[in-house]
Amino acid sequence: MQIWEPHALGETTLVHAGEVEVRIAGTEAITVTPVAPDVWLIEAPLASAAQWRVPCVTATAFWTPRSGTHWIPPIWNPPMTATLTSGSPVVSLVGTAGANLCTVALDGEGSFTGGVIEETGEFVFTVQGEGLRLRLDRSARPFPAALAGVAAWWQEGRELPPTPLQARLPVYSTWYSMHQEVTQESVEHQARLAKELGCDTIIVDDGWQTADRSRGYAFCGDWEPNPAAFPDMAAHIRRVQDMGMAYLLWYALPFVGKHNAAFEHFEGKFLRYLDHMDAAVLDPGHPEVREFLIGRLARAVEEWGADGLKVDFVERFAGADEGVRLLLGDLDERLRRTRPEVLVEHRQPYSGPEMWPYANMIRAVDCPLSSAENRKRSIDLRLTAGPTAVHSDMIVWHPAEPAEQVAVHLINALFSVPQISVDLSAQRADQLAAVRFWLGVFREHLGTLQLGDLEPQGPEHGYPLVRASGDGSVIVARYAALPVDVPADGVLLVANAAADPRVVLYGEGEAEVRVRDCGGNPVSSGRLSFAGGTRVVEVPMGGLLELRRD
């Protein structure tokens, strides 16, 4: 990546956002408006690019919505593109103790290049798009607050249906637990067990539409239930709903496999063929393609009575954004005629604000058995998800996993909606106790965990401590042996996912303390005095500390 020089941009305009000099490729209709202390809105509808530099002083991380480590890249790092079907148009340079150094977001699609100039130690931001409307935040507040400001800005002027409570309740998924080996009997069995443990929704994933078990996508596209496994889909869904569970069906929206009647019918209306998947990607720019897909997906809600859809692989529509917008918009309108509070799940990376009208659930991208990665991906989503309910990737563990480690998996998903995906009938009693206890914590403290102020610490270290506050409560998840500040009043919960049980508390005065293990069993309780300002309380791995002031 070459650093742009003024002559390379053609005619340029130099504007100032506080102390930052922003060079814009254009000379007309440029405005710079302060919207908050050290926050500016720069609008250049006729421009295609902007660039500026900030001193890379105290910088520790470069936050982007893409999953992975938040390292500080060099100037030659490739651009990050945000489109309707991939990514989200925001980046943030983060300093010591999580302070915001420079957060920038676009209102619309575009690309970002950010990196350090080795010779000067400056960080260069380059933003490109067709017409620029960008928000530049140089305030020194914590970077999660700067990103929350971006999400609020994206919401301005948007009329979005409220996210139903159902979208925020724990989920059971069939994917990791059954893969394609799904039948109406096995789904109903797991749904009954999941409801008893605290789940309120089941997502039936790949396999319902085919008798093939080869894990490919050659049999996706016609979207007819496998009659041997689901002889009466509507009756089956009613039975699950009678248990008190909402029901979602999975669709690989773009794919039409080579063994489907639709494959031959839509020949010539493909974006591309994927050899390794034995399927083609339909082109939603064709009205007949959109009509076909909408009709097939709407059947789940209109004819079979499902509560919603898991809409998968939308990123495979890359290059057809206008057709995707028409497809998802018309699908949403059709579904809401039957079910106004329809549930629709999308997944990273198609998670930007332009997708908000079409989904009320967004899931972290697949990371089976990697609890730390599940934490990082779901927290990254939470920081700019706006009104959308953020879900963890499906939580799965080895059958021999200790109950304490099962709890650690769940604590890593504490600030998202947990999705469980193991064979519940094969779990030991202590494993089930851990699931039941932690799903109870999720449900009891849903308002604070999902809707409170979120304060993840240390993005460069994968968020080793995360805090949420609201409704008179502070909830902290501790993923490493880090101390915890005790609020002056209200309730403090500390979920310990670290192997070290010694939780150091900084506070004043006195409080009542109760400690429970990974299954919710009492470990200790009593009155705690913060003589000297510091106390150490033993909380077993996977356990919970609850502290209450008088």
Side-chain angles (χ1 to χ4, degrees), residues 172 174 182 187 201-209 223-226 230 233-234 236-237 241 246-253 296-301 303-312 335 342-345 361:
Y172 181 85
T174 65
V182 287
V187 169
T201 297
I202 188 166
I203 297 177
V204 177
D205 213 291
D206 188 3
W208 66 269
Q209 80 292 350
W223 302 115
E224 294 285 351
N226 171 17
F230 296 91
M233 183 63 85
H236 158 64
I237 290 175
Q241 291 169 334
Y247 193 111
L248 275 67
L249 265 182
W250 169 88
Y251 289 85
L253 182 61
R296 293 291 165 151
L297 270 66
R299 288 182 68 199
V301 173
E303 297 181 27
W304 305 331
D307 298 278
L309 312 174
K310 173 179 178 176
V311 180
D312 213 351
L335 295 175
V342 65
L343 301 172
V344 176
E345 182 196 90
M361 301 158 62

Side-chain angles (χ1 to χ4, degrees), residues 358-526:
Y358 315 125
N360 42 38
M361 301 158 62
I362 175 72
R363 180 177 63 81
V365 74
D366 304 43
C367 51
L369 273 168
S370 181
S371 58
E373 193 63 24
N374 212 358
R375 172 179 82 245
K376 289 185 282 186
R377 295 180 183 192
S378 56
I379 292 294
D380 283 344
L381 279 174
R382 273 290 309 273
L383 289 172
T384 56
T388 312
V390 171
H391 287 233
S392 72
D393 184 34
M394 292 79 73
I395 301 170
V396 59
W397 54 84
H398 189 277
E401 194 79 276
E404 293 81 3
Q405 197 63 43
V406 171
V408 168
H409 280 286
L410 290 159
I411 295 170
N412 273 278
L414 189 63
F415 302 94
S416 60
V417 180
Q419 293 198 10
I420 308 296
S421 191
V422 294
D423 180 357
L424 295 173
S425 63
Q427 303 305 302
R428 302 188 312 269
D430 60 336
Q431 293 170 320
L432 292 175
V435 175
R436 184 179 291 106
F437 172 61
W438 280 104
L439 290 187
V441 173
F442 283 109
R443 297 172 65 91
E444 182 180 356
H445 300 282
L446 182 151
T448 302
L449 290 169
Q450 295 189 41
L451 302 173
D453 293 330
L454 187 68
E455 303 173 68
Q457 297 182 10
E460 69 275 24
H461 299 300
Y463 308 124
L465 189 141
V466 183
R467 178 190 308 265
S469 55
D471 296 332
S473 299
V474 174
I475 302 175
V476 174
R478 176 181 179 267
Y479 306 103
L482 295 173
V484 175
D485 291 320
V486 177
D489 53 27
V491 178
L492 170 69
L493 299 182
V494 180
N496 184 35
D500 188 341
R502 297 168 297 179
V503 177
V504 178
L505 302 173
Y506 290 118
E508 296 179 355
E510 296 184 348
E512 293 293 332
V513 173
R514 178 172 61 154
V515 175
R516 287 174 282 177
D517 67 12
C518 66
N521 301 304
V523 173
S524 63
S525 62

Side-chain angles (χ1 to χ4, degrees), residues 130 132 241 294 302 316 462:
E130 293 302 319
L132 295 179
Q241 291 169 334
I294 291 168
E302 295 173 350
R316 297 288 183 166

